[in-house]
Amino acid sequence: MGEKTARRPGGGGGYDFVVVANRLAVDRLTYQDGSTGWRRSPGGLVTALAPIMAESDGAWVGWHGAADETLEPFDHEGMHLVPVPLSALEVEEYYEGFSNGTLWPLYHDVIARPEFHRHWYEAYRRVNQRFAEATAATAAKGAVVWVQDYQLQLVPAMLREMRPDVRIGFFNHIPFPPSGLFSQLPWRQAVLRGLLGADLIGFQRESDARNFQRAVRSRLGLYIRSDQVYVVSEPSSDELGSSIAGHGEDPARGLGTRRTSAPEDGGHRISEARAFPISIDTERIVALSERPDIIARSQQIRRELGEPSTVLLGVDRLDYTKGIRHRMKALEELLAEKAVSPEDVCLVQVASPSREGVESYRLLREEIEATVGRINGEYDTMAHTAIRYLHHSYPVEEMVALYLAADVLLVTALRDGMNLVAKEYVAARRDGGGVLVLSEFTGAADQLKQALLVNPHDVDELKASILQAVHMDEEESRRRMRTLRRQVTSNNVQRWAQDFLNRLEELS
C-alpha cells in the first residue's frame, strides 16, 4: 500500500499536519482477479495537499467510502490514512440527510427546500464527534489540523475541547448563506460555535465571509473587528450535542447581546473569518492541453458532432444548483426563434451522476433527460443534433479534449461556491481561443471578470450572452481569454493551500 510514513521524533506518536475531510484521499480499486487496492483521488484538494503532507509528516482522516466496514489506519504514497467508519444508517442520515438534505439546499440560497429533522442532526453531531476523536488521536502535540467543508462544521469546537494545543483551520468549499436564510436552521448556534472552534475559517468569496460574520454577530452577539471574531466562551460537547442547541440565548455566555467593543478582560480567543478563493492544478491542465493525442481527440470530437460552426459545452454534476435547465431553456428558445440552428450550433452537456439515491436528484435527472428528448425530437436533423447529452463521469484527459473542442463554455449555476470547471476551461485554452459565459452567482465570477457574466435566472439575458459568444469576433475573444488566463495561471491550487496555511501560522 505504499511506504511507511516516518513520524516526527518527539511528536508524541502523532502527525504534525492532519487533514480532516468527509472522504479519504484515496479511492478503492477492484482488479480483474478480485483483489483490491487503492489509488490517490484525482481531486484538486488532494493534489494541493499531498506534497505538503509528504514534507510535513501528514495524515488524512476521512471515510473510505464503504458503509458498515471498519478499516485500520494504513499508509499510501507518503500519506497516513485514518479511515472513519460509517454505518449505512449514518450515511443516510448524516450525509444524504443533514449534509445534503438540510445544509446543501440551505447554503445554496434555498433553491430547493431544505428539510429539518432532529434525528438527522443527531447523526451529524455523532459522526462529527467520531471524526474529532479520530483526529485528536492522530495529531501530534502542536499539530496543524485543517478541517474541510460543510459535512464537518462541528469538528473544530469538538477538537479544541479535546486538544487545545493544536492549531485548527476550517475551509468551507460551498457558499455560506445570508444571515436571514441561515437563521432558519434550528441548530444555527451549534453550527456557528462549532466553526468558531477554528483559529482560521476560510470561505470562497468575501460575501460568504461577511455572511458568516453577520450570523455570528446577530446570533451570538460576538464582537468582530477586521475579520477577527472575539470568542468569549467555548462550547462544551454537551452544547454541541443538544438537539435543541441554538434555541436558548444566554447573555452570560455572550449569546443574544451584540457586543460593540472588544472584551477588556482578555478572556477571549481570536477566530479569523476571511476569503481564500480556491483554484485548480493549473500546470496539470496546461500540460494535458499540449499533448498531441488530446489535441487530436478534440478534433475528433468536432468531427463526431458533424463539424458545427460552434460547439457549446456544459460540464456539471447533475445538481439543481447548476442551472442546467436554464441553459436548455435558453437554447430551446433560440432554436425556436431560428437565431441558431443544429447545423451551426450544438450543445454538449456532460452531467455526471450525483447522489442518485436521493429522490430530488432522481427526479431532476428525469426532467433533464425529458427536456433533452423534447428539444432533440423537435430540432434534430439526420446529420446534426441540438444537444448531445452525456450522463457520465469522464477522466481528466477526455475533459481537456472537450475543453479544446468547445468554442463556448456555459456555466449557468444558480449558486456555486467557486466552479472550478470555469477555471479548467480557461487553463486549457492556451491557444487563446474560446469564450466563457459565467454566472455571476459563482465564486469564479469575482475573479474571472473578462468572462461574459450573466444572471441565469434572466433567460433573455442568457440568450443574448449565448448569441454574443457565438458571434464574438476572434480579436475580442482572444483579448478576453488572455486576461482570464493570466488570472488563472497565477493563482493555482497550491498557492491557495499555501496562502491559507501561512495565514494560520501567522495567527498562531
Side-chain angles (χ1 to χ4, degrees), residues 61-317:
V61 177
W63 180 46
H64 63 283
D68 296 319
E69 181 183 47
T70 300
L71 298 181
E72 293 297 318
F74 62 95
D75 298 308
H76 180 79
E77 295 186 2
M79 291 186 291
H80 183 68
L81 302 169
V82 182
V84 176
L86 296 179
S87 68
L89 182 61
E90 286 170 336
V91 173
E92 178 184 339
E93 294 183 343
Y94 144 76
Y95 181 71
E96 294 179 354
F98 194 79
S99 294
N100 294 312
T102 300
L103 295 176
W104 180 269
L106 183 67
Y107 282 33
H108 286 84
D109 291 354
V110 195
I111 294 168
R113 180 180 176 182
E115 298 181 43
F116 304 116
H117 300 296
R118 285 171 288 183
H119 64 285
W120 283 5
Y121 176 75
E122 175 55 30
Y124 183 83
R125 183 209 61 79
R126 186 172 63 250
V127 170
N128 273 239
Q129 183 72 31
R130 191 177 305 148
F131 271 81
E133 290 170 352
T135 305
T138 302
K141 184 176 177 59
V144 171
V145 177
W146 195 358
V147 185
Q148 306 289 331
D149 223 1
Y150 65 106
Q151 302 97 342
L152 302 173
Q153 292 176 106
L154 304 183
V155 168
M158 291 173 167
L159 179 61
R160 182 165 295 281
E161 184 179 10
M162 290 182 272
R163 292 289 305 274
D165 60 294
V166 301
R167 287 167 285 163
I168 304 171
F170 180 93
F171 189 79
N172 197 59
H173 291 260
I174 68 174
F176 195 88
S179 181
L181 289 180
F182 181 75
S183 65
Q184 295 180 23
L185 184 67
W187 308 277
R188 56 202 179 187
Q189 289 182 353
V191 168
L192 293 174
R193 284 289 185 179
L195 291 171
L196 288 172
D199 299 289
L200 179 61
I201 309 166
F203 298 92
Q204 299 280 26
R205 310 180 78 171
E206 290 289 347
S207 58
D208 296 324
R210 297 290 175 263
N211 286 343
F212 173 76
Q213 292 171 16
R214 291 187 186 102
V216 166
R217 186 180 291 113
S218 63
R219 304 315 317 176
L220 302 183
L222 299 180
Y223 176 73
I224 300 172
R225 182 175 64 192
S226 301
D227 298 330
Q228 295 188 332
V229 181
Y230 287 70
V231 184
V232 295
S233 62
E234 302 289 359
S236 68
S237 57
D238 288 340
E239 284 182 283
L240 294 173
S242 172
S243 63
I244 60 171
H247 294 295
E249 297 195 351
D250 178 2
R253 296 188 61 81
L255 308 182
T257 302
R258 180 178 298 184
R259 287 184 176 270
T260 58
S261 61
E264 297 179 358
D265 59 3
H268 65 271
R269 181 180 57 79
I270 298 295
S271 180
E272 185 169 283
R274 55 180 291 192
F276 292 88
I278 198 171
S279 193
I280 61 171
D281 186 1
T282 308
E283 291 183 4
R284 184 188 185 202
I285 298 298
V286 170
L288 289 171
S289 71
E290 296 172 342
R291 275 175 40 180
D293 60 320
I294 291 179
I295 295 172
R297 173 59 184 150
S298 72
Q299 296 165 348
Q300 180 186 7
I301 288 172
R302 293 190 69 99
R303 290 194 298 270
E304 292 173 351
L305 294 173
E307 294 286 3
S309 302
T310 304
V311 175
L312 310 177
L313 176 64
V315 178
D316 310 89
R317 259 187 333 102

Side-chain angles (χ1 to χ4, degrees), residues 6-18 57 59 137-141 143 163:
R7 300 188 182 189
R8 178 173 176 173
Y15 292 80
D16 297 315
F17 179 52
V18 181
D57 194 9
T138 302
K141 184 176 177 59
R163 292 289 305 274

Side-chain angles (χ1 to χ4, degrees), residues 187-493:
W187 308 277
R188 56 202 179 187
Q189 289 182 353
V191 168
L192 293 174
R193 284 289 185 179
L195 291 171
L196 288 172
D199 299 289
L200 179 61
I201 309 166
F203 298 92
Q204 299 280 26
R205 310 180 78 171
E206 290 289 347
S207 58
D208 296 324
R210 297 290 175 263
N211 286 343
F212 173 76
Q213 292 171 16
R214 291 187 186 102
V216 166
R217 186 180 291 113
S218 63
R219 304 315 317 176
L220 302 183
L222 299 180
Y223 176 73
I224 300 172
R225 182 175 64 192
S226 301
D227 298 330
Q228 295 188 332
V229 181
Y230 287 70
V231 184
V232 295
S233 62
E234 302 289 359
S236 68
S237 57
D238 288 340
E239 284 182 283
L240 294 173
S242 172
S243 63
I244 60 171
H247 294 295
E249 297 195 351
D250 178 2
R253 296 188 61 81
L255 308 182
T257 302
R258 180 178 298 184
R259 287 184 176 270
T260 58
S261 61
E264 297 179 358
D265 59 3
H268 65 271
R269 181 180 57 79
I270 298 295
S271 180
E272 185 169 283
R274 55 180 291 192
F276 292 88
I278 198 171
S279 193
I280 61 171
D281 186 1
T282 308
E283 291 183 4
R284 184 188 185 202
I285 298 298
V286 170
L288 289 171
S289 71
E290 296 172 342
R291 275 175 40 180
D293 60 320
I294 291 179
I295 295 172
R297 173 59 184 150
S298 72
Q299 296 165 348
Q300 180 186 7
I301 288 172
R302 293 190 69 99
R303 290 194 298 270
E304 292 173 351
L305 294 173
E307 294 286 3
S309 302
T310 304
V311 175
L312 310 177
L313 176 64
V315 178
D316 310 89
R317 259 187 333 102
L318 190 58
D319 191 285
Y320 50 76
T321 66
K322 300 302 182 181
I324 301 173
R325 291 173 291 194
H326 295 64
R327 79 183 63 140
M328 289 186 176
K329 172 71 171 173
L331 178 61
E332 184 176 18
E333 291 191 7
L334 289 172
L335 289 166
E337 295 163 3
K338 300 189 185 313
V340 299
S341 69
E343 291 83 4
D344 294 327
V345 174
C346 175
L347 169 62
V348 178
Q349 177 61 59
V350 178
S352 58
S354 175
R355 301 167 190 162
E356 297 195 306
V358 179
E359 178 69 5
S360 60
Y361 285 79
R362 185 185 64 80
L363 294 175
L364 175 65
R365 177 181 177 182
E366 291 178 358
E367 180 184 352
I368 294 296
E369 292 178 352
T371 301
V372 172
R374 185 185 70 249
I375 294 173
N376 284 343
E378 180 73 21
Y379 298 105
D380 275 9
T381 67
M382 294 297 290
H384 297 89
T385 187
I387 302 176
R388 184 67 61 86
Y389 176 75
L390 305 167
H391 185 58
H392 306 289
S393 296
Y394 290 97
V396 65
E397 292 83 1
E398 182 72 358
M399 292 312 306
V400 172
L402 279 167
Y403 295 149
L404 294 177
D407 302 287
V408 180
L409 179 71
L410 300 178
V411 178
T412 57
L414 309 180
R415 191 76 165 94
D416 212 338
M418 179 53 63
N419 195 285
L420 296 180
V421 167
K423 294 188 174 184
E424 288 180 351
Y425 179 73
V426 170
R429 298 311 302 246
R430 64 180 303 275
D431 61 352
V435 180
L436 174 61
V437 176
L438 180 63
S439 166
E440 64 189 61
F441 301 116
T442 65
D446 288 356
Q447 300 168 292
L448 305 182
K449 296 185 182 297
Q450 285 299 307
L452 297 181
L453 299 180
V454 298
N455 174 2
H457 296 281
D458 186 341
V459 175
D460 288 332
E461 181 182 332
L462 182 53
K463 289 162 57 180
S465 295
I466 292 173
L467 288 178
Q468 182 181 355
V470 168
H471 297 298
M472 186 177 292
D473 66 74
E474 184 177 354
E475 182 179 350
E476 181 181 358
S477 66
R478 288 184 175 277
R479 175 182 58 79
R480 288 174 177 268
M481 187 56 69
R482 280 196 302 270
T483 304
L484 292 172
R485 294 196 81 254
R486 278 197 297 270
Q487 208 289 328
V488 171
T489 56
S490 62
N491 294 281
N492 60 22
V493 71

